[in-house]
Amino acid sequence: MSAFAHPVTVWIVGATLAVVATAALVIGGLSLAGRGTPAFRRELWLRLGSWCVLLPLMIGPVLAGREWTILAVTLLGLLCYREYARATGLFRERVLSAVVVLGILFVNFAALDHWYGFFVALWPLTVSLLAVASIPQDRPEGYIQRVGLAVLGYMLFGAGLAHLGYMANDPGYRPIVLLLLTAVALNDVAAFTCGKILGGPKLLPATSPNKTIAGALGAVVVTGSVVALIAHSLFGTTPMGGWFWLLLLGVLVSVAGQAGDLMLSSIKRDIGIKDMGVVLPGHGGILDRFNSLLLVSPAVFHFIGYFVGFGLDEPTRIFTQ
Amino acid sequence: MKSWEIKPARDLGLPLGQRLRSLARERGLVGLALNAAWRHTLRLYLAAAHRLEVEGRENLPPPPFVIIANHASHLDALTLAAALRGEAARAAHALAAGEVFFGKPAGAAFAAYAINALPVWRGRTQRSELKLLRERLLEDRLAYILFPEGTRSRDGTMAPFQPGLAMLVAGTPVPVVPCWIEGAHECWPPSQRWPRPGRLRLRIGKPLVFEDVAPDAEGRARIAQAARDAVVALRPPG
């Protein structure tokens, strides 16, 4: 099937390119007019530059095919786990870290193999292995903390995020995955913009001091509507085609996206750091950019799975049978 | 109940270039794997090309410790690194001349990821850097490979010990393990670009502890002399 077979794929890729081009023109205009401080303009250029590198890395594998999508999700999971492990100190527990990395590799292999039974089984199996892996070290002090950190790490960057790759087993995955990738970015922008325009009380000031209730609700309205409209083109003729369910999907994307953001903020506040890394200029770490996807992926997978499913008519156990 | 203790990587937030050259650098699974691969290759090379013999391995304490030796060749650090086993091998960090090993990005990456070296800049080491090295030795339970002469001897004779060693261990329970390396200067003297095959012998002596020695000038001089005497005592007669 052609990468651009579905019109929604064309719309999303076209809209993304248009947004980047418009942003470049606006920032170029600001620079030419000398508006804003040089530091602010530099920050804007850095962010745009990061997006210009990130977007092909995000959209390219999705357009390239199933295997590339799953490979990209695997790499994303490993890179996110690396940042998490370094920030929490879990990387010093090399046995547990190795088990989490193996779990991430296996769960993405299960997605690549289109073996849902193994994909699901890896959650209890990996958690069980994490629970026992450090026992032979005969070092009970700190056991609950290190196992707790490892289980959370596997849940977020392995079992959870791998749902995004698993979607690629459906022949029509491209518009759905692209919709999620762009919707979580739109969600961030909508929350920021609505918060700035409407102001009002803070959402959770101790967790994330810049977020407002108006911003969060505005993001739910904007992202929820946009996702529902686009999802109508994808699922209009399916049991999920009613507007109530489509709007619920949109709200789910927005709420889960914001919850992922707040979850990372909680982790950073607890540790006492501002960013999870320095890989992406203007953004921070990879986790700072992709936190919203962590909870959206499994939530949307199972929501759509309840009504429609992913790749139900496609060959399964491609490599293991 | 034990309270939660979250301890991020010491080098968290540093860009890659700075991270490679940072004394706070801590490695993860990739660094461990690369260093292990390097160590095993090194052991094969030293066994095949130099028939390395190690005597006194039973004297090695569990980390933390500082292992020191006479220094007349680049083979010295490789020999000490290859002699360590298990947790000590994984905890080993060579304190290496920054100018030589960390000057260029590729060299710095190799020194950091394969050798697991930490840079010491001649004449530019600040007190805060020594404090960090001392802190990491104790808290992270590391094993430092250190050559207290400060540089490779050009003719194979030993120079006086610099005070850096004493600043790391004075007043601490961290043992100093003296060693003597025989044959490295003949195989790879500083005047040659590459090593040539030849026999290498490493004698590991009993550890010294300087917990009761004050970290003042007099204490530092005492430690430097005692450590040098212990290394010299391991030199074979003749």
Side-chain angles (χ1 to χ4, degrees), chain A residues 86-87 89 92 94 145 278, chain B residues 4-5 7-9 11 26 90:
Chain A
R86 286 177 53 75
R92 295 189 189 91
R94 59 178 192 279
Q145 176 175 330
V278 288
Chain B
W4 295 96
E5 185 191 2
K7 196 176 157 201
D11 54 346
E26 287 193 88
R90 285 188 287 274

Side-chain angles (χ1 to χ4, degrees), chain B residues 25 27 31-32 34-39 108-117:
Chain B
R25 191 184 70 245
R27 62 198 172 152
L32 268 172
L34 290 174
N35 179 238
W38 165 253
R39 247 185 0 253
F110 180 76
Y113 279 107
I115 304 177
N116 202 25

Side-chain angles (χ1 to χ4, degrees), chain B residues 102-128:
Chain B
F102 288 86
K104 293 176 181 165
F110 180 76
Y113 279 107
I115 304 177
N116 202 25
L118 294 173
V120 178
W121 304 89
R122 286 186 189 125
R124 284 197 281 145
T125 306
Q126 294 172 359
R127 194 168 286 271
S128 60

Side-chain angles (χ1 to χ4, degrees), chain B residues 41-219:
Chain B
T41 311
L42 193 59
R43 282 181 199 156
L44 285 175
Y45 164 74
L46 290 173
H50 299 286
R51 287 173 289 161
L52 172 64
E53 286 175 21
V54 181
E55 185 188 327
R57 196 177 261 133
E58 67 279 4
N59 290 326
L60 285 169
F65 61 81
V66 180
I67 187 165
I68 61 169
N70 55 318
H71 193 27
S73 166
H74 280 320
L75 280 173
D76 296 335
L78 307 182
T79 303
L80 293 184
L84 300 176
R85 294 285 185 272
E87 194 53 45
R90 285 188 287 274
H93 287 64
L95 300 189
E99 301 80 357
V100 179
F101 293 94
F102 288 86
K104 293 176 181 165
F110 180 76
Y113 279 107
I115 304 177
N116 202 25
L118 294 173
V120 178
W121 304 89
R122 286 186 189 125
R124 284 197 281 145
T125 306
Q126 294 172 359
R127 194 168 286 271
S128 60
E129 293 172 332
L130 278 168
K131 187 168 168 276
L132 176 59
L133 284 172
R134 186 176 155 109
E135 183 184 302
R136 289 202 62 189
L137 185 62
L138 286 159
E139 289 181 8
D140 299 350
R141 308 189 68 77
L142 301 184
Y144 288 155
I145 295 171
L146 174 65
F147 299 102
E149 293 167 78
T151 187
R152 284 169 298 162
S153 163
R154 272 27 189 183
D155 58 5
T157 56
M158 263 180 82
F161 279 11
Q162 302 290 317
L165 167 68
M167 292 166 97
L168 291 176
V169 298
T172 76
V174 176
V176 175
V177 184
C179 298
W180 181 267
I181 301 166
E182 190 72 24
H185 185 255
E186 290 72 23
C187 293
W188 195 3
S191 56
Q192 287 205 0
R193 191 170 168 79
W194 300 106
R196 56 174 173 246
R199 188 174 281 272
L200 276 177
R201 280 205 181 88
L202 170 66
R203 291 184 78 189
I204 302 173
K206 294 207 179 299
L208 312 168
V209 178
F210 300 103
E211 193 165 8
D212 301 328
V213 180
D216 53 18
E218 190 194 330

Side-chain angles (χ1 to χ4, degrees), chain A residues 25-189:
Chain A
L25 284 174
V26 169
I27 302 170
L30 286 176
S31 299
L32 284 175
R35 299 280 296 273
T37 64
F40 176 65
R41 290 199 300 267
R42 187 173 172 276
E43 174 76 12
L44 290 179
W45 281 119
L46 272 177
R47 281 186 174 236
L48 184 65
S50 289
W51 273 118
C52 289
V53 175
L54 270 180
L55 283 171
L57 291 175
M58 289 161 60
I59 295 176
V62 179
L63 295 178
R66 187 186 84 92
E67 292 80 6
W68 290 103
T69 305
I70 294 171
L71 177 68
V73 171
T74 311
L75 284 177
L76 180 62
L78 290 172
L79 290 171
C80 285
Y81 173 68
R82 179 180 175 273
E83 286 185 353
Y84 167 84
R86 286 177 53 75
T88 57
L90 183 62
F91 75 105
R92 295 189 189 91
E93 301 289 344
R94 59 178 192 279
V95 175
L96 291 184
S97 254
V99 174
V100 174
V101 167
L102 277 178
I104 293 172
L105 292 174
F106 271 113
V107 78
N108 283 285
F109 170 76
L112 188 66
D113 194 33
H114 197 190
W115 183 5
Y116 192 69
F118 190 41
F119 185 78
V120 174
L122 275 165
W123 171 236
L125 291 178
T126 310
V127 170
S128 302
L129 189 55
L130 287 170
V132 299
S134 69
I135 291 175
Q137 295 173 352
D138 194 23
R139 192 164 49 92
E141 18 354 301
Y143 171 85
I144 298 174
Q145 176 175 330
R146 61 177 179 264
V147 173
L149 284 171
V151 168
L152 180 63
Y154 174 70
M155 185 264 153
L156 292 175
F157 315 117
L161 194 59
H163 284 83
L164 189 66
Y166 199 97
M167 292 178 193
N169 285 306
D170 193 282
Y173 75 95
R174 286 190 180 92
I176 303 170
V177 174
L178 288 177
L179 173 62
L180 294 184
L181 292 177
T182 46
V184 293
L186 170 71
N187 203 34
D188 289 350
V189 174

